[in-house]
Amino acid sequence: MYVTRVPNRGSPPAVLLRESYRDNGKVKTRTLANLSHWPERKVEKLQRALKGLPATRDLAESFEVSRSLPHGHVAAVLGTARTLGVEDLIDATPSRRRDLVTAMLVAQVIAPESKLATARGLRTQTATSSLGEVLGVSGADEDDLYAAMDWALARKDAIETALAARHLNDGTLVLYDVSSAAFEGRTCPLGKIGHARDGVKGRLQIVYGLLATTAGIPVAIEVFDGNTADPKTLTAQINKLKTGSDCRGWPLSAIAA
């Protein structure tokens, strides 16, 4: 197929789409369409396409992208969290607070930042990914995130009980480690000067202990005064495992290591 222009006396040439074919060994031509009503730029594009030539203009220039939010990493992390049943662990009943907690957990994986920066990354006007839109929390601010954290803290025992039931069996071995974190501010009642395990010396800190399975799956976490010694934190975890004082229903024969 090809495009040809046929003179038309005093009128503009007729623009025709034609093809050649053989009939009893003779080359003949037939007209497939009259393109005279097409704009010239459209005719030129068809001519180049029929000749196998590239477009004269990059197709990307034909579009104006006003905004494009990254989504792949959000889909991967949020999808994995849902496969693991993280949302149901937080609370079996869907709610905006559960969505906010889920958003913070996902954000800590894809872009760990302060709560203020996380809130900015969720909001429609300043979004850095599709996370806020996907979870329906694109209108949240940092106060909403802190309120959701308070709500999650009140559910801590229930969450740890669910994790223990899922990952700890009778006689299983558990792993426990302690670290510390320095922070700004003077109003935290747990903030004390102590042994700086994170290497930041001379500042108020908190001490926290994480209880996990041998596969590294977190089961429980507890925060202590910043000057708490390691042995004192370990005793609290052993008591938790033996008596279930903080989380009823834990396997009684689990061993702290």
Side-chain angles (χ1 to χ4, degrees):
M1 286 189 295
Y2 59 94
V3 175
T4 186
R5 289 171 171 80
V6 180
N8 191 14
R9 295 184 180 181
S11 301
V15 182
L16 305 175
L17 177 63
R18 286 180 168 175
E19 71 172 355
S20 299
Y21 66 97
R22 287 184 177 274
D23 185 9
N24 294 325
K26 295 182 179 181
V27 177
K28 296 185 177 182
T29 300
R30 59 187 168 208
T31 300
L32 301 177
N34 187 337
L35 308 179
S36 301
H37 62 287
W38 279 24
E40 184 60 27
R41 58 183 180 79
K42 190 174 180 181
V43 174
E44 290 178 358
K45 288 180 180 180
L46 178 59
Q47 281 184 298
R48 295 185 68 86
L50 292 174
K51 293 177 181 179
L53 299 175
T56 55
R57 183 181 180 187
D58 188 349
L59 291 179
E61 298 177 4
S62 301
F63 300 91
E64 180 181 349
V65 180
S66 58
R67 193 180 195 192
S68 178
L69 294 176
H71 175 69
H73 56 340
V74 172
V77 177
L78 182 58
T80 301
R82 285 175 169 168
T83 299
L84 296 172
V86 170
E87 289 172 311
D88 287 337
L89 280 170
I90 298 170
D91 190 7
T93 304
S95 66
R96 186 172 187 272
R97 290 177 297 187
R98 189 183 81 167
D99 292 336
L100 287 169
V101 173
T102 302
M104 285 186 281
L105 291 175
V106 174
Q108 283 301 304
V109 176
I110 63 176
E113 294 179 299
S114 68
K115 294 300 174 289
L116 177 59
T118 298
R120 288 172 178 167
L122 294 174
R123 282 199 295 269
T124 301
Q125 299 86 345
T126 53
T128 55
S129 73
S130 64
L131 180 59
E133 182 179 348
V134 170
L135 286 173
V137 295
S138 54
D141 59 21
E142 59 273 19
D143 290 335
D144 294 324
L145 298 187
Y146 283 119
M149 290 173 65
D150 289 339
W151 172 80
L153 179 60
R155 295 193 50 76
K156 175 177 177 290
D157 290 353
I159 294 171
E160 292 182 348
T161 296
L163 286 169
R166 177 184 293 187
H167 298 295
L168 300 182
N169 300 310
D170 288 345
T172 191
L173 182 72
V174 296
L175 304 179
Y176 176 73
D177 198 10
V178 179
S179 190
S180 63
F183 63 93
E184 301 292 342
R186 300 281 176 180
T187 60
C188 177
L190 299 179
K192 300 287 191 302
I193 298 292
H195 174 58
R197 299 166 184 81
D198 61 354
V200 181
K201 298 181 179 180
R203 286 171 53 186
L204 294 178
Q205 66 174 25
I206 56 172
V207 170
Y208 57 90
L210 178 67
L211 197 70
T213 70
T214 53
I217 300 172
V219 173
I221 190 167
E222 190 163 349
V223 182
F224 305 90
D225 288 343
N227 57 359
T228 305
D230 287 6
K232 192 172 181 179
T233 71
L234 180 59
T235 301
Q237 301 307 306
I238 293 175
N239 291 336
K240 177 184 290 189
L241 290 168
K242 285 184 175 180
T243 66
S245 58
D246 291 329
C247 293
R248 296 185 301 276
W250 283 40
L252 298 183
S253 55
I255 303 171

